[in-house]
Amino acid sequence: MRLGINIDHIATLREARKTNQPDPLEAVFICEKAGANQITMHLREDRRHMNDFDLKRIIESSFLPVNLECALDHDILDMACSLKPARVTLVPEKREEVTTEGGLRLDSKLKTPIKKLQDAGIEVALFIDPSFDSIFQACELESNAIELHTGRYANLSLELFTNLKRTHNALKLNATKANLEDELTVLKLASKKGLDLGLKVYAGHGLNYQNTQAIVDIKEIEELNIGHSIIARAVFVGLPQAIKEMKEICGSDGRF
Ligand code: PXP
């Protein structure tokens, strides 16, 4: 299973002081040395963590493929077409959210931007909830890939296995083992459907050292994008060690 590291939180820490450290580009080099397969970064419309200069420096200097997450923002998409990250993952964005809360709503207005990115040689993934409807639409839109939102699964596992009732998006999900199993089944069926329809299948959001193994076991998923838990662990054990531990869960990797 390939592991993409979402390094937004490095920039979040920098922005807490509006200074120049920690530098997300330094994180890119550490991720590379520690055996990560991809750098994932989200350029938000409000530039609350990563900024345009980070995007440019990271794409120009990274030896790992860069997966740029962004909303349907025409300025950012134009920037992507000229800087050419390996992939653009289109995500929904709300100013008031702490992190991306749900999958993208798909409709035909995505068709032109998807084609424009692809014509620029960029793979396109759509960050969607694991529903068959969304998968059929992603296929119709001729996206190359889907990234399945694992947030509901992650929230259920947090509610079930910790005393944490207070996550920013605690949804009172009625966390029972049966509901968690059901959500895993939903993710498995969605992954299979995506692959059957010719889409590459990735997943991410809220994955951590406790809940990732069950997602790794879904063989149709070829890549995970993980940020918060790895950077959180890195605070205590360092980034190389935090990546090493997550890579052990992900198993043998297939480099690009
Ligand atoms: N994948 C996508 C599309 C995301 O938007 C995010 C969060 O920015 C992640 C993966 C990583 O989520 P987390 O930080 O919860 O691991």
Side-chain angles (χ1 to χ4, degrees):
M1 175 79 78
R2 285 199 311 264
L3 176 62
I5 315 275
N6 180 315
I7 57 169
D8 296 343
H9 296 287
I10 305 284
T12 300
L13 192 53
R14 178 191 63 194
E15 292 308 306
R17 281 294 176 99
K18 303 249 177 269
T19 172
N20 58 356
Q21 61 184 11
D23 183 354
L25 185 58
E26 199 172 334
V28 170
F29 299 135
I30 293 172
C31 288
E32 199 179 293
K33 261 198 167 161
N37 303 116
Q38 173 170 267
I39 299 299
T40 292
M41 59 183 289
H42 187 169
L43 188 65
R44 283 186 165 264
E45 286 169 343
D46 62 8
R47 308 297 197 270
R48 70 171 73 154
H49 38 53
M50 291 291 183
N51 59 42
D52 302 21
F53 187 50
D54 293 323
L55 178 67
K56 188 166 186 305
R57 285 197 309 151
I58 288 172
I59 291 176
E60 281 176 359
S61 307
S62 174
F63 286 97
L64 292 175
V66 174
N67 169 27
L68 169 65
E69 299 173 358
C70 63
L72 197 60
D73 174 301
H74 292 286
D75 290 341
I76 296 180
L77 293 180
D78 283 348
M79 222 188 307
C81 285
S82 83
L83 293 173
K84 296 195 196 304
R87 184 190 309 155
V88 165
T89 301
L90 293 174
V91 302
E93 214 173 282
K94 279 192 258 153
R95 284 287 156 96
E96 64 277 14
E97 70 191 358
V98 175
T99 182
T100 317
E101 279 171 0
L104 191 63
R105 264 204 211 144
L106 303 184
D107 66 50
S108 56
K109 73 172 185 294
L110 287 167
K111 196 142 196 165
T112 307
I114 289 174
K115 176 88 173 48
K116 192 171 162 192
L117 289 162
Q118 289 169 334
D119 286 347
I122 300 166
E123 179 185 287
V124 179
L126 303 174
F127 189 43
I128 56 170
D129 290 321
S131 78
F132 276 19
D133 268 3
S134 295
I135 293 167
F136 287 131
Q137 286 179 57
C139 187
E140 263 171 31
L141 288 166
E142 296 181 35
S143 151
N144 304 98
I146 48 175
E147 180 171 337
L148 297 177
H149 197 305
T150 49
R152 189 180 151 82
Y153 162 75
N155 282 336
L156 280 166
S157 67
L158 267 187
E159 278 188 38
L160 195 58
F161 298 118
T162 74
N163 289 319
L164 194 62
K165 302 281 180 250
R166 194 194 58 84
T167 69
H168 73 276
N169 55 357
L171 297 173
K172 308 233 174 334
L173 289 172
N174 185 21
T176 62
K177 282 202 169 151
N179 286 348
L180 187 71
E181 285 305 318
D182 285 351
E183 188 58 24
L184 263 179
T185 304
V186 165
L187 285 162
K188 281 179 197 161
L189 293 174
S191 305
K192 185 166 180 342
K193 181 57 75 188
L195 198 65
D196 286 349
L197 291 174
L199 296 159
K200 296 179 190 175
V201 183
Y202 315 136
H205 208 280
L207 297 178
N208 61 29
Y209 295 87
Q210 288 75 40
N211 65 19
T212 295
Q213 185 64 58
I215 303 297
V216 170
D217 291 341
I218 303 177
K219 64 181 189 317
E220 288 83 4
I221 299 177
E222 60 178 271
E223 172 195 300
L224 300 180
N225 288 295
I226 306 181
H228 184 262
S229 63
I230 292 177
I231 304 304
R233 178 126 183 90
V235 170
F236 300 112
V237 301
L239 189 51
Q241 177 65 19
I243 293 171
K244 180 170 175 271
E245 290 173 18
M246 192 56 87
K247 268 178 62 75
E248 278 165 13
I249 297 171
C250 288
S252 65
D253 64 14
R255 282 198 174 258
F256 282 88

